[in-house]
Amino acid sequence: MLLVLMFALIAAGCAAMDLSSLKGRQKRRDRVIWGLLWIGGMAATICTLLKIQVPSPLLLIIFIYKPINDLVSSWF
């Protein structure tokens, strides 16, 4: 758990340095996308540090794509 806390502190420091370059009214979308990617990266790293088994995102893509693929292949 100490490793996760240390990682979070280092990541918060890096985030503070990055956010200074994203200041300004016109870069709101950039900050939102940057925040979403940062949260996703933090979540993935914390899951790795805590050894939490997370299913592959590829399974979600297969789950969405397979019915569409079957429908299109039945047409031809």
Side-chain angles (χ1 to χ4, degrees), residues 55-69:
S56 172
L58 182 60
L59 295 175
L60 177 65
I61 294 171
I62 291 171
F63 179 74
I64 293 170
Y65 177 74
K66 182 121 174 75
I68 296 169
N69 186 31

Side-chain angles (χ1 to χ4, degrees), residues 4-75:
V4 174
L5 181 62
M6 190 169 56
F7 167 74
L9 289 174
I10 292 170
C14 292
M17 289 189 306
D18 282 347
L19 277 177
S20 65
S21 67
L22 291 175
K23 285 185 181 174
R25 187 167 267 249
Q26 296 170 341
K27 295 186 179 182
R28 185 177 191 285
R29 279 186 269 164
D30 292 345
R31 283 193 312 258
V32 169
I33 297 300
W34 180 88
L36 290 173
L37 290 173
W38 188 79
I39 289 170
M42 286 282 294
T45 304
I46 289 173
C47 286
T48 301
L49 289 173
L50 295 176
K51 294 181 175 55
I52 298 173
Q53 295 292 326
V54 179
S56 172
L58 182 60
L59 295 175
L60 177 65
I61 294 171
I62 291 171
F63 179 74
I64 293 170
Y65 177 74
K66 182 121 174 75
I68 296 169
N69 186 31
D70 292 341
L71 178 68
V72 171
S73 65
S74 71
W75 292 344

